[in-house]
Amino acid sequence: MPKHLLAPSILSADFTRLGEELAACEATGADWIHVDVMDGHFVPNITMGPFLVQTYKRASGLPLDVHLMIEQPERYLEAFARAGAAHLTVHVETCPHLHQTLEQIKALGCRAGVTLNPATPVSALQPVLHMADLVLVMSVNPGFSYQKFQLDAIGRVRQVRRMLD
């Protein structure tokens, strides 16, 4: 059985107590810190950029799993890698040359991840699945917290698992 990883999202942290929040994640056994980056274009919300990722890296010894919910992520990969990202995850929907983007991520020394929005067919992963170090199957539409979990995500995860096997 594969190991399960716990990657709490820093987006739900109290930013006035960031160091304490990151320490609490570490103390409770988190494996990674998940960082949701949104640009207000691909998703209707804006969050953080490389500067804050660099701050998180200084405040925590955990690997940073940076989820880029942004248009043209290839333009920002190097900045996030320099800031301390261990994993860079991009959306199928934002990368017309996804294989090149995944190669670029790996060339920067990061693990390459690919994300599927709820309405995107799992088959969209087929051409690049062999290149992905991780797959993020969205269980909500990206952009805002506190949405209702979409149960069909469970079946989509099963589909990805079958494709990997």
Side-chain angles (χ1 to χ4, degrees):
M1 179 177 264
K3 179 185 178 203
H4 294 87
L5 297 173
L6 179 62
S9 173
I10 198 64
L11 189 59
S12 59
D14 176 349
F15 283 85
T16 64
R17 300 176 48 238
L18 184 61
E20 295 169 46
E21 298 271 317
L22 288 166
C25 289
E26 289 184 45
T28 56
D31 298 291
W32 301 345
I33 297 296
H34 184 82
V35 182
D36 286 310
V37 176
M38 301 179 222
D39 66 0
H41 297 282
F42 177 61
V43 297
N45 204 352
I46 298 172
T47 56
M48 59 200 78
F51 175 77
L52 284 177
V53 170
Q54 187 175 36
T55 301
Y56 305 151
K57 184 64 180 167
R58 284 195 315 263
S60 175
L62 294 176
L64 299 178
D65 174 37
V66 179
H67 175 198
L68 299 174
M69 293 177 270
I70 62 177
E71 291 181 354
Q72 298 180 311
E74 61 280 355
R75 294 176 56 203
Y76 303 96
L77 296 175
E78 186 174 347
F80 281 104
R82 271 197 324 268
H87 315 106
L88 288 168
T89 303
V90 296
H91 278 255
V92 168
E93 302 85 3
T94 63
C95 298
H97 305 288
L98 184 56
H99 64 288
Q100 290 176 349
T101 303
L102 296 177
E103 287 173 352
Q104 184 181 355
I105 292 169
K106 289 178 181 244
L108 291 166
C110 297
R111 294 186 70 189
V114 63
T115 305
L116 286 175
N117 279 347
T120 303
V122 173
S123 61
L125 291 173
Q126 193 62 52
V128 297
L129 193 56
H130 67 284
M131 299 174 70
D133 296 308
L134 65 102
V135 174
L136 174 57
V137 176
M138 296 294 291
S139 59
V140 297
N141 288 309
F144 291 99
S145 301
Y146 307 108
Q147 296 179 60
K148 184 178 178 186
F149 180 83
Q150 295 181 20
L151 288 174
D152 66 331
I154 296 168
R156 293 165 55 77
V157 169
R158 284 189 185 112
Q159 282 181 274
V160 172
R161 177 77 266 164
R162 281 194 299 273
M163 289 169 69
L164 288 168
D165 291 340

